[in-house]
Amino acid sequence: MSSGILQVFQRELTCPICMNYFIDPVTIDCGHSFCRPCFYLNWQDIPLLVQCSECRKSTRQRNLETNIHLKKMASLARKASLWQFLSSEEQMCGIHRETKKMFCEVDRSLLCLLCSSSQKHRDHKHCPIEWAAEEHREKLLKKMQSLWEEACENHRNLNMETTRTKYWKDYVNLRLEAVRAEYQKMPALHHEEEKHNLEMLKKKGKDIFHQLHLSKAKMAHRREILRGIYEELKEMCHKPDVELLQGFGDILHRSESVLLHKPQPLNLELSSGPIAGLMDRLNQFRVHITLHHEEANSHIFRYEILRSMCIECDHQDVPYITATPRSFLAWGAQTFTSGKYYWEFHVGDSWNWAFGVCNTYWKEKNQNEKIDGEEGLFLLGCVKNDIQCRLFTTSPLMLQYIPRPTSQVGLFLDYEAKTVSFVDVNQSSLIYTIPNCSFSPPLRPIFCCIHF
């Protein structure tokens, strides 16, 4: 093979980022190929989209499969380089003047066939050098994949803590305002209880704010550690076969230790405590709601968006769900155009549900149209992710960092005040009050749950 053709062949098997033979090559949408580790590390902070360094076209990071053909060709190229190295005079066995073809896994030395069967090495484990090199490289790649998955999870968690830290003070103030407004409807004899509950909320809010900063710092530090060990493993993978075998050392053990003791996002809870007399006051406005059930492909409960909010990341980053969610709706037979009303739902230990009131046009539109906003939809809901359940309210869509109710949940509709309040009946506590609701009469009760 001429030197020109050989150079073209080598160039086709070379990663344009690291300029080494491919390891675990991936080919992206535009047709260009890179080492998977080089491509990953070329992304800044693991974004959803990344530009190809060759043609500047954007591509998505998901579902990158190994280019098996390129991987085999790159492996052959490394073997050719290995045999060229081993065939040199200085690498010949000094005793038997034979090529060193075997690798001793005990003392990590290169041996000729005669040396490997000598008394000194006969009880050691040996294998051909090119086999050993590829096996060690595959072990490194497998560990790198675990590290990358850990880095992605840590990145999502860090984004979550950053977002929660940014908005936490506003959330605490909203809860303080909601609880304070609820006490203003109660007799003055509850003043001491109000003072105690509000002070408790403020203190808990400050404590959590401090914990969020500490959690962010731990995750940021872990990000640097994970990236550092990932780059170290990548460099080891790119070493020539002999250097890889002899320098393998304890790098796998160190990478495994990095995967231990990973920081988890805080489980935030900001309960406001029970309000004496709350249920007595609400039960004065109690009504019985009759529901009509139906099954529909409803966009009222847009599971992907709600679940992404539940784990507090962009909904495009939510792991793909193969099951198709279906909404089971129950509409209230009654409608409301004025007044005050209170009713309850039993939720038990269930998840992926929502209930509340909505402007009537939702009932007509949900069957046929995709609706992108929450205007006219006033819900309390629960969404389950892989770890826990989260509560949310709509108008606007926001998480509620309080314990999930496990029995009865109440709804109080105050048409004149334009508010919808949700309460944990067993705890006699306020979950949240949606203020300044854009009511468009008539209002209709709604209950929705998701099944897969």
Side-chain angles (χ1 to χ4, degrees):
M1 183 182 295
S2 68
S3 60
I5 296 176
L6 180 61
Q7 288 178 358
V8 172
F9 179 72
Q10 290 176 330
R11 187 166 58 248
E12 290 300 311
L13 300 178
T14 298
C15 172
I17 296 177
C18 66
M19 304 308 294
N20 292 309
Y21 287 132
F22 287 119
I23 55 168
D24 196 14
V26 292
T27 302
I28 58 177
D29 299 340
C30 59
H32 291 108
S33 300
F34 307 89
C35 297
R36 184 190 301 273
C38 297
F39 189 57
Y40 281 176
L41 288 172
N42 203 41
W43 297 346
Q44 184 65 36
D45 293 328
I46 320 177
L48 179 66
L49 294 174
V50 63
Q51 283 188 332
C52 173
S53 60
E54 295 294 284
C55 65
R56 313 310 297 173
K57 290 184 179 179
S58 296
T59 186
R60 293 184 178 273
Q61 72 181 69
R62 297 178 187 273
N63 303 321
L64 290 173
E65 296 183 357
T66 300
N67 187 321
I68 301 298
H69 176 70
L70 273 183
K71 185 173 183 177
K72 288 181 178 179
M73 297 300 290
S75 178
L76 289 173
R78 276 193 296 271
K79 287 180 181 179
S81 297
L82 171 65
W83 283 111
Q84 184 178 7
F85 172 78
L86 294 176
S87 300
S88 62
E89 182 67 24
E90 55 270 24
Q91 294 301 320
M92 300 290 284
C93 174
I95 299 174
H96 302 105
R97 303 306 297 168
E98 289 190 2
T99 301
K100 298 177 181 178
K101 299 180 179 180
M102 307 301 291
F103 175 67
C104 176
E105 295 191 4
V106 176
D107 58 15
R108 299 196 171 275
S109 60
L110 306 183
L111 307 170
C112 72
L113 285 171
L114 292 173
C115 286
S116 65
S117 60
S118 67
Q119 184 175 359
K120 179 180 178 181
H121 291 282
R122 69 176 56 168
D123 294 329
H124 295 173
K125 183 179 179 181
H126 309 94
C127 60
I129 293 173
E130 66 268 26
W131 292 6
E134 287 304 306
E135 182 183 9
H136 281 61
R137 193 170 278 111
E138 287 301 316
K139 287 181 180 179
L140 291 175
L141 289 171
K142 185 176 181 180
K143 185 57 61 179
M144 290 170 70
Q145 183 61 30
S146 297
L147 283 167
W148 183 256
E149 291 169 1
E150 177 69 22
C152 290
E153 181 182 352
N154 185 74
H155 176 77
R156 289 192 295 268
N157 291 341
L158 178 57
N159 281 348
M160 180 193 304
E161 300 297 63
T162 300
T163 300
R164 298 201 291 189
T165 302
K166 182 178 179 181
Y167 295 110
W168 184 251
K169 287 185 177 180
D170 289 338
Y171 176 75
V172 174
N173 287 334
L174 282 174
R175 286 207 59 74
L176 287 169
E177 290 174 12
V179 173
R180 189 178 290 114
E182 199 61 42
Y183 272 107
Q184 289 175 357
K185 304 170 188 175
M186 309 294 291
L189 57 89
H190 293 88
H191 176 72
E192 287 302 318
E193 179 188 289
E194 175 186 2
K195 181 179 177 182
H196 170 75
N197 279 348
L198 292 178
E199 287 178 352
M200 180 185 68
L201 270 177
K202 289 179 183 177
K203 183 179 184 305
K204 187 71 179 292
K206 288 181 179 178
D207 291 344
I208 291 176
F209 188 69
H210 178 66
Q211 293 171 25
L212 283 169
H213 276 288
L214 292 178
S215 181
K216 275 179 55 183
K218 290 178 181 178
M219 291 174 182
H221 179 62
R222 183 169 181 77
R223 176 183 59 190
E224 300 307 314
I225 292 176
L226 289 169
R227 186 180 182 93
I229 193 69
Y230 189 89
E231 289 181 330
E232 191 176 345
L233 290 172
K234 178 183 80 84
E235 292 303 316
M236 179 63 74
C237 275
H238 280 307
K239 287 183 179 295
D241 289 351
V242 173
E243 289 186 45
L244 182 149
L245 291 172
Q246 294 180 331
F248 201 74
D250 66 341
I251 192 169
L252 273 185
H253 174 73
R254 288 191 292 110
S255 64
E256 287 170 1
S257 65
V258 167
L259 292 173
L260 301 175
H261 311 299
K262 59 182 179 182
Q264 295 292 337
L266 295 176
N267 183 22
L268 306 184
E269 284 192 359
L270 193 66
S271 178
S272 58
I275 299 177
L278 174 64
M279 301 314 302
D280 291 337
R281 183 178 72 82
L282 294 179
N283 278 316
Q284 298 176 35
F285 307 98
R286 187 160 189 148
V287 294
H288 176 73
I289 299 296
T290 303
L291 297 174
H292 297 309
H293 297 266
E294 61 184 74
E295 180 180 347
N297 292 317
S298 172
H299 295 284
I300 287 180
F301 199 110
R302 288 153 300 154
Y303 183 78
E304 283 304 315
I305 295 176
L306 294 176
R307 185 172 181 268
S308 68
M309 187 180 184
C310 174
I311 58 177
E312 296 169 283
C313 67
D314 190 291
H315 72 273
Q316 293 176 314
D317 284 333
V318 178
Y320 180 70
I321 298 174
T322 55
T324 301
R326 292 192 66 84
S327 296
F328 290 83
L329 298 176
W331 299 97
Q334 300 95 321
T335 58
F336 306 109
T337 58
S338 63
K340 300 178 181 179
Y341 308 91
Y342 173 75
W343 64 92
E344 296 177 355
F345 277 102
H346 179 77
V347 295
D349 293 328
S350 60
W351 51 74
N352 298 333
W353 51 263
F355 87 99
V357 293
C358 65
N359 294 336
T360 298
Y361 62 73
W362 278 89
K363 188 175 191 302
E364 284 70 41
K365 288 186 177 183
N366 96 89
Q367 297 287 346
N368 304 308
E369 300 181 27
K370 181 175 181 179
I371 304 174
D372 296 320
E374 288 82 39
E375 184 178 355
L377 187 63
F378 315 99
L379 303 177
L380 169 71
C382 180
V383 184
K384 186 179 186 299
N385 64 10
D386 297 333
I387 303 174
Q388 58 188 324
C389 293
R390 297 281 182 85
L391 295 181
F392 67 90
T393 51
T394 61
S395 297
L397 186 63
M398 63 184 291
L399 283 175
Q400 298 296 332
Y401 298 102
I402 63 171
R404 178 175 63 93
T406 57
S407 183
Q408 299 291 116
V409 182
L411 182 153
F412 178 61
L413 167 65
D414 188 336
Y415 205 102
E416 281 66 38
K418 295 188 180 300
T419 61
V420 176
S421 300
F422 300 96
V423 296
D424 185 329
V425 176
N426 282 3
Q427 299 297 319
S428 186
S429 63
L430 178 69
I431 294 175
Y432 187 66
T433 296
I434 304 176
N436 306 316
C437 298
S438 301
F439 293 153
S440 177
L443 295 179
R444 185 180 295 274
I446 182 175
F447 177 81
C448 179
C449 65
I450 287 289
H451 295 276
F452 292 88

